[in-house]
């Protein structure tokens, strides 16, 4: 068990930039036991006296679980229990009264006799008792980052090495060569007056360690792995960060004129430091770039008091520091290299440079108008930083324009990196917006983790005229829009009002469009030209609505070309629009025709479903004829030919969603159709008598009817089937008053019925004998004769007979037969036939007289 890990309560590993180190035992473990165990007899424990640094433990390897420690000089001691496998065991140190003096590790002891107890140990162990002021500590000048590293070797288990760093009070940092993690020692920084609370985490991975008292500073190192034959070696470099550091000056770079330093990580040089002299700008950016082959150089910046300063902005294999530095004060840039994972078994190289970040040396872009030509440049080496001026609100868009050959990548395709855009926000903090964003900052920087060729656009969007103004309504999107771009004007943008969560499917016959968002970001829309591009604009932080821009900016426009752009809202209704029908004045329409009228509302669409409804009646569909560009008016048509007069509701369902509905009650008032005007009433022409045909005249109307219908009546009651313009009067109507009702029909008018004046039906003409009656049979006394009625027109329905002798009526002789009496001999016989027909006058005819024999 490794004591320096256990002493802080748990096993802890810290990994940063490829460096993996054990945690320090600077802090004492919690005291769990306060009295010497009853099983331990201090007098029986082997005695150990103080030893030295760089040697085997003072106490020899022995069994048992306790040691008697004799302390001859008061002060801080390092006390450990280590077995032959170099495992460091948990232990406690008790004073002569049996009270816990310390839990091991760092112990501030008075002169006297103490007992060390390693509870639960089952293997022999040696005891290291080393005063902080012990001998064997090698001298170091505190400028190890500019000199050869210190090479130490642990020859035996439990050996504790020491470097005494010149300088006294001040800040210190240590770098370790980590090619093999098993050769990384545990470190502690101490002074005679006590430990400084600094171990690997603070010295190597943290912000350094500060010694406050002006007394010797010692770096204690010990290996925590088993010690092989020949020992276990390690490399470290210690650097004092205050006072004279001996670090070379890091010159300032100008745009396009790199003046940085290269730091190659090797076994003999794995830490470096550089001085930023007092004549620096008020704000600077420091860039540290690894060559990307797997190695890394972790960078930190310290002020003259040794305090870590500047804000780090990490990006891949690049460390950037934004420094607001105090005038007249120098700063130190520290690089600690790691080479554990480098490719091709070659050393890694980092470049470090700094640039004036106040904007006074920034270049003007080639063009600032929206769509103007790009500004082109090269970032080589990668640690170079370029700066460009900006006025007002601009869209900054950077892209790679080619490859830079790098011999560091043999046999591989060289990467094509896109520079990263950085800027200072209103609080003075260095921010990153990737390769595209909107900026109001007065200047911005381009950085890259690898050498890069780039083109960058600085297009002003301050002037709303730079973009097409907001469409009349964005509820369902916009377009199609025809856009012509040229090499001199290769950008187009459309301003769109948005609500949080809006999405647009954009069809654009060119490169993918961007969204310039209200939160200041710029986003490339995903998708394809075939399926469309999904653009998801964002609102500003804390807002629910705002405006954004949809941008078309092809990378290359070789000659004038026309593009078509159309956006469709993918979220139902965009721009915070809602679907509604406005309250409006009542709309009057007339039944009997198709009615055209207008409706008002919001987010109207030609695909909306609209209908008229009324309780107890079937709904009437309404056809949308057109919708205004503002989508607040629509022209519609409803077929109210058969609509019942009265007030109808208008119900709409939005094209965007079946769940979006609106209703205006009693909005449409259906008026009954007007009747036709009658200039001359209908009339009955012809003699109204049974058997005769009368004719109806339709009368005259306003307007002229398209058609008329007839209905004949008798005494005001319709005569079934009598619907023609003429009517033959049957006998059943004799004496009744007949008339004709004419119903006229015209488009847009109610069918109008008007009756003629009634006329009384008279008798029909009497039947007339077209062939006179005659007497048949032998006209002789004693014989019977009968009547032949002859032929009549019109035909008779019945006959009556009157027989006469010599012109005188024979009383009672009214039958169709007559028997002749003897007394009638010689007289002349006739018969008069009366022909009867219903509704007609009677017709009469007399036969020829015959002499009775």
């Amino acid at each position: 068990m490794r004591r320096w890990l256990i002493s802080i309560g748990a096993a802890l590993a810290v990994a940063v930039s490829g460096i993996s180190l054990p945690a320090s035992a600077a802090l004492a473990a919690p005291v769990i036991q306060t009295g010497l165990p009853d099983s331990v007899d201090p007098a029986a424990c082997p005695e150990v006296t103080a030893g030295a640094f760089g040697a085997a433990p003072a106490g020899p390897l022995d069994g048992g679980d306790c040691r008697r420690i004799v302390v001859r000089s008061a002060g801080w001691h390092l006390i450990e229990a280590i077995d032959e496998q170099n495992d460091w065991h948990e232990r406690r140190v008790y004073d002569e009264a049996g009270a816990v003096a310390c839990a091991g590790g760092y112990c501030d002891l008075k002169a006297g006799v103490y007992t060390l107890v390693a509870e639960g140990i089952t293997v022999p162990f040696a005891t290291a008792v080393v005063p902080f002021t012990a001998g064997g500590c090698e001298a170091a000048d505190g400028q190890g980052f500019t000199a050869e590293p210190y090479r130490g070797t642990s020859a035996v288990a439990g050996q504790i090495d020491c470097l005494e760093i010149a300088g006294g009070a001040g800040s210190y940092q240590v770098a370790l060569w980590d090619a093999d993690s098993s050769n990384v020692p545990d470190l502690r920084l101490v002074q005679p007056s006590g430990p400084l609370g600094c171990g690997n985490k603070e010295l190597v991975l943290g912000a350094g360690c500060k010694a406050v008292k002006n007394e010797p500073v010692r770096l204690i190192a010990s290996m925590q792995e088993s010690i092989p034959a020949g020992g276990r070696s390690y490399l470290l470099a210690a650097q004092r960060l205050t006072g004279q550091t001996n670090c070379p000056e890091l010159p300032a770079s100008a745009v396009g004129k790199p003046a940085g330093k290269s730091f190659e990580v090797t076994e003999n040089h794995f830490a470096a430091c550089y001085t930023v002299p007092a004549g620096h700008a008020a704000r600077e950016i420091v860039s540290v770039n690894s060559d990307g082959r797997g190695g890394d150089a972790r960078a930190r910046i310290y002020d003259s008091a040794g305090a870590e300063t500047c804000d780090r902005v990490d990006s891949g294999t690049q460390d950037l520091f934004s420094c607001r530095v105090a005038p007249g004060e120098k700063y130190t840039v520290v690089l600690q290299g790691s080479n554990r994972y480098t490719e091709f078994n070659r050393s890694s190289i980092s470049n470090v440079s700094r640039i004036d970040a106040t904007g006074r040396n920034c270049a003007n872009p080639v063009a600032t108008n929206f769509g103007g030509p790009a500004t082109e440049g090269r970032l080589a080496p990668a640690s170079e930083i370029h700066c460009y001026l900006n006025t007002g609100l601009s869209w900054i868009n950077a892209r790679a324009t080619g490859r830079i050959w790098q011999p560091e990548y043999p046999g591989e395709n060289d990467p094509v990196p896109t520079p990263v855009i950085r800027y200072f926000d209103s609080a003075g903090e260095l921010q990153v917006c990737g390769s595209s964003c909107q900026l109001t900052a007065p200047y911005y920087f381009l950085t890259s983790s690898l050498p890069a060729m780039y083109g960058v656009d600085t297009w002003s969007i301050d002037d709303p005229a730079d973009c097409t103004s907001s469409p009349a309504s964005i509820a369902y999107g916009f377009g199609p829009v025809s856009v012509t771009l040229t090499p001199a004007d290769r950008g187009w943008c459309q301003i769109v009002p948005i609500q949080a969560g809006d999405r647009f499917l954009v069809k654009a016959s060119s490169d993918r469009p961007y969204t310039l968002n209200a939160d200041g970001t710029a986003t490339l829309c995903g998708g394809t030209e075939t399926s469309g591009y999904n653009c998801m604009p964002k609102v500003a932080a804390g807002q629910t609505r705002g405006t954004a821009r949809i941008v078309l900016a092809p990378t290359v426009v070789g000659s004038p070309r026309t593009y078509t752009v159309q956006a469709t809202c993918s979220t139902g209704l965009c721009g915070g629009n809602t679907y509604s029908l406005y309250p409006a004045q009542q709309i009057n329409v007339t039944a009997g025709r198709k009615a055209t009228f207008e409706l008002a509302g919001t987010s109207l669409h030609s695909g909306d479903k609209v209908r008229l409804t009324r309780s107890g009646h079937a709904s009437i569909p309404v056809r949308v004829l057109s919708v205004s560009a503002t989508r607040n008016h629509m022209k519609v048509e409803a077929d109210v030919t058969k609509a019942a007069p009265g007030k109808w509701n208008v119900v709409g369902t939005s094209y965007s969603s079946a769940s979006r509905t609106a209703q205006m009650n009693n909005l449409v008032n259906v008026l009954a159709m007007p009747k036709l005007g009658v200039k001359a009433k209908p009339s009955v022409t012809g003699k109204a008598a049974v058997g005769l045909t009368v004719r109806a005249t339709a009368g005259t109307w306003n307007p002229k009817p398209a058609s008329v219908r007839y209905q004949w009546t008798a005494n005001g009651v319709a005569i079934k089937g009598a619907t023609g313009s003429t009517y033959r009067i049957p006998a059943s109507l004799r004496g009744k008053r007949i008339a004709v009702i004419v119903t006229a029909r015209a488009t847009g008018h109610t069918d109008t019925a008007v009756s003629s004046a009634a006329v009384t039906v008279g008798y029909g003409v009497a039947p007339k004998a077209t062939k006179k009656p005659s007497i048949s049979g032998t006209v002789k006394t004693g014989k019977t004769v009968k009547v032949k009625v002859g032929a009549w027109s019109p035909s008779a329905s019945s006959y009556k007979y009157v027989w006469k002798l010599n012109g005188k009526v024979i009383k009672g002789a009214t039958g169709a037969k007559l028997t002749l009496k003897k007394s009638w001999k010689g007289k002349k016989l006739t018969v008069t036939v009366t022909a009867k027909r219903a509704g007609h006058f009677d017709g009469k005819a007399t036969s020829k007289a015959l002499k009775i024999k």
Side-chain angles (χ1 to χ4, degrees):
M1 173 124 358
R2 309 207 185 287
R3 199 283 309 157
W4 288 355
L5 301 181
I6 292 298
S7 67
I8 62 171
L12 175 64
V14 181
V16 178
S17 299
I19 303 175
S20 180
L21 301 175
S24 169
L27 301 177
V31 176
I32 300 173
Q33 182 174 327
T34 59
L36 184 69
D38 294 337
S39 61
V40 176
D41 180 6
C45 298
E47 184 175 307
V48 179
T49 57
F53 289 111
L61 193 69
D62 203 348
D65 60 357
C66 67
R67 298 290 184 269
R68 185 168 179 264
I69 300 174
V70 179
V71 176
R72 292 184 170 84
S73 298
W76 283 88
H77 292 66
L78 180 62
I79 301 178
E80 302 290 350
I82 308 109
D83 65 25
E84 61 182 342
Q85 297 301 317
N86 204 27
D87 284 338
W88 299 53
H89 292 268
E90 186 176 1
R91 65 278 164 274
R92 291 180 184 84
V93 178
Y94 300 86
D95 62 16
E96 291 179 278
V100 175
C102 70
Y106 300 141
C107 296
D108 185 10
L109 304 177
K110 297 177 181 179
V113 179
Y114 296 84
T115 302
L116 178 148
V117 178
E119 291 188 28
I121 193 167
T122 59
V123 295
F125 67 94
T127 308
V129 180
V130 186
F132 283 8
T133 57
C137 193
E138 299 185 42
D141 63 6
Q143 296 176 346
F145 289 2
T146 58
E148 287 287 322
Y150 172 76
R151 296 175 181 270
T153 300
S154 287
V156 296
Q159 176 180 327
I160 301 173
D161 296 333
C162 174
L163 279 178
E164 185 166 315
I165 306 171
S171 293
Y172 298 85
Q173 183 143 19
V174 176
L176 291 170
W177 178 243
D178 67 334
D180 182 354
S181 60
S182 66
N183 291 334
V184 174
D186 186 80
L187 303 174
R188 286 172 281 182
L189 201 68
V190 302
Q191 288 186 288
S193 58
L196 298 180
C198 300
N200 294 65
K201 182 177 180 182
E202 295 78 19
L203 287 166
V204 180
L205 304 176
C209 191
K210 193 169 187 176
V212 178
K213 296 182 179 180
N214 194 20
E215 57 187 33
V217 176
R218 289 188 164 189
L219 179 66
I220 297 174
S222 58
M223 300 303 297
Q224 302 262 309
E225 301 288 339
S226 61
I227 306 300
R232 188 175 291 281
S233 298
Y234 59 89
L235 289 172
L236 63 81
Q239 177 69 42
R240 178 180 169 83
L241 299 175
T242 50
Q244 181 61 41
T245 63
N246 205 35
C247 299
E249 179 180 327
L250 179 62
S253 296
V255 176
K257 297 178 181 179
K261 298 287 187 179
S262 292
F263 167 50
E264 184 174 6
V265 179
T266 67
E267 183 176 341
N268 294 319
H269 190 215
F270 49 85
C273 62
Y274 303 96
T275 297
V276 177
H280 49 67
R283 175 187 277 135
E284 298 215 347
I285 294 178
V286 177
S287 171
V288 180
N289 285 71
S290 169
D291 62 7
R293 290 181 293 172
D296 192 11
R298 185 70 172 178
R300 289 183 175 84
I301 300 178
Y302 302 89
D303 62 18
S304 58
E308 187 173 14
T309 186
C310 302
D311 299 323
R312 178 185 289 111
V313 183
D314 299 323
S315 176
T317 56
Q318 182 181 42
D319 271 1
L320 283 176
F321 297 84
S322 166
C323 305
R324 282 170 286 187
V325 289
E329 183 173 354
K330 72 173 185 177
Y331 292 79
T332 303
V333 180
V334 171
L335 276 70
Q336 297 182 68
S338 171
N339 207 45
R340 187 181 305 172
Y341 306 111
T342 53
E343 300 174 7
F344 318 121
N345 295 317
R346 302 174 62 189
S347 61
S348 64
I349 299 175
S350 291
N351 296 302
V352 57
S353 65
R354 67 185 178 93
I355 187 172
D356 180 344
T358 62
R360 62 186 174 185
N361 293 322
C362 296
N364 285 306
V366 170
T368 59
N369 61 295
F370 198 91
T375 302
E376 297 186 352
R378 293 165 56 95
L379 291 171
S383 59
E384 187 176 358
I385 301 172
H386 286 183
C387 178
Y388 292 101
L389 295 173
N390 177 40
T391 56
L393 176 62
S394 297
W395 178 40
I396 316 298
N397 184 35
R399 61 188 179 281
T401 59
R403 302 168 187 258
I404 298 178
W405 181 76
Q406 297 181 79
E408 292 85 356
Y409 292 85
E412 292 191 5
N413 290 327
D414 298 331
V416 187
T418 298
V420 175
I421 301 167
R422 302 179 188 274
Y423 65 97
F424 287 108
D425 62 18
S426 59
E429 303 296 329
L430 186 63
Q431 303 293 344
V432 60
C433 66
S435 61
S436 184
C437 65
Q438 300 174 80
L439 291 183
T440 55
Y443 51 92
Y444 64 91
F445 305 92
L446 292 181
T447 66
S448 177
S449 60
L450 292 170
M453 296 175 64
Y454 67 83
V456 61
D457 302 315
T458 308
W459 291 349
S460 172
I461 50 177
D462 253 344
D463 186 353
D466 289 333
C467 291
T468 304
S469 60
S470 300
S473 172
I474 199 66
Y476 294 96
F478 65 84
V481 178
S482 181
V483 178
T484 300
L485 302 180
T486 68
D489 185 8
R490 57 183 183 82
W492 169 87
C493 61
Q494 169 74 62
I495 299 174
V496 291
I498 60 168
Q499 178 173 271
D502 281 354
R503 296 197 307 273
F504 295 92
L505 181 66
V506 178
K507 292 280 190 175
S509 54
S510 77
D511 293 358
R512 287 192 291 172
Y514 286 84
T515 57
L516 303 187
N517 303 308
D519 67 354
T521 60
T523 308
L524 191 60
C525 302
T528 65
E529 182 178 340
T530 302
S531 61
Y533 302 102
N534 293 303
C535 297
M536 295 177 283
K538 303 173 186 175
V539 298
Q543 302 295 315
T544 57
R545 294 189 182 184
T547 60
R549 291 169 171 83
I550 292 179
V551 172
L552 197 63
T555 303
V556 178
V557 180
S559 58
R561 181 179 171 187
T562 299
Y563 304 90
T564 299
V565 185
Q566 182 168 15
T568 303
C569 178
S570 303
T571 49
L573 292 175
C574 287
N577 286 281
T578 57
Y579 174 73
S580 70
L581 293 173
Y582 288 149
Q585 291 183 341
Q586 192 171 83
I587 299 170
N588 293 318
V589 298
T590 302
R593 66 190 76 180
K594 290 183 178 179
T596 300
F597 51 92
E598 288 193 354
L599 296 175
T602 58
S603 304
L604 304 179
H605 192 279
S606 59
D608 291 348
K609 292 182 179 179
V610 185
R611 64 190 189 280
L612 302 182
T613 66
R614 184 179 177 187
S615 179
H617 297 266
S619 63
I620 300 172
V622 176
R623 186 164 68 97
V624 179
L625 301 177
S626 63
V627 176
S628 66
T630 56
R631 296 195 179 277
N632 57 9
H633 286 88
M634 61 164 50
K635 189 175 183 179
V636 298
E637 179 186 77
D639 188 348
V640 293
T641 301
K642 298 181 180 179
K647 293 179 180 180
W648 291 69
N649 309 320
V650 176
V651 178
T653 301
S654 174
Y655 171 78
S656 63
S657 171
S659 65
R660 293 188 177 99
T661 60
Q663 181 167 328
M664 291 296 297
N665 292 328
N666 302 322
L667 180 64
V668 175
N669 184 29
V670 178
L671 303 174
M673 290 183 292
K675 293 184 176 182
L676 281 77
V678 181
K679 290 183 177 181
K681 293 177 64 175
S683 62
V684 177
T685 62
K687 185 178 180 181
V690 174
L692 297 182
T693 298
V694 288
R695 182 177 299 275
T697 60
T700 55
W701 305 80
N702 183 24
K704 184 178 180 180
S707 63
V708 293
R709 298 195 309 271
Y710 301 94
Q711 177 62 62
W712 294 87
T713 63
N715 289 348
V717 178
I719 303 170
K720 186 176 181 180
T723 57
S725 60
T726 60
Y727 180 61
R728 186 178 178 85
I729 302 172
S732 60
L733 298 185
R734 213 277 315 159
K736 294 184 177 181
R737 295 178 62 79
I738 65 169
V740 65
I741 298 173
V742 176
T743 301
R745 173 172 293 176
T747 301
H749 291 72
T750 301
D751 290 358
T752 304
V754 176
S755 178
S756 70
V759 294
T760 301
V761 177
Y763 285 102
V765 297
K768 184 177 182 180
T770 57
K771 182 180 179 180
K772 283 186 175 186
S774 61
I775 300 170
S776 67
T778 302
V779 183
K780 186 177 180 180
T781 59
K783 299 290 184 181
T784 299
V785 294
K786 61 182 179 179
V787 178
K788 286 185 178 181
V789 296
W792 298 82
S793 178
S795 60
S797 55
S798 63
Y799 299 95
K800 287 185 176 182
Y801 310 100
V802 175
W803 293 90
K804 296 179 179 180
L805 288 175
N806 294 332
K808 290 182 179 182
V809 175
I810 301 172
K811 189 177 181 178
T814 58
K817 294 180 181 180
L818 180 66
T819 301
L820 300 178
K821 296 180 179 181
K822 289 182 179 183
S823 59
W824 296 347
K825 179 179 176 183
K827 293 181 179 180
K828 290 183 179 179
L829 180 66
T830 61
V831 63
T832 298
V833 177
T834 300
K836 289 185 174 292
R837 181 180 177 89
H840 288 252
F841 291 110
D842 293 342
K844 291 184 178 182
T846 301
S847 67
K848 181 180 179 181
L850 296 177
K851 188 176 182 180
I852 301 173
K853 295 181 181 180

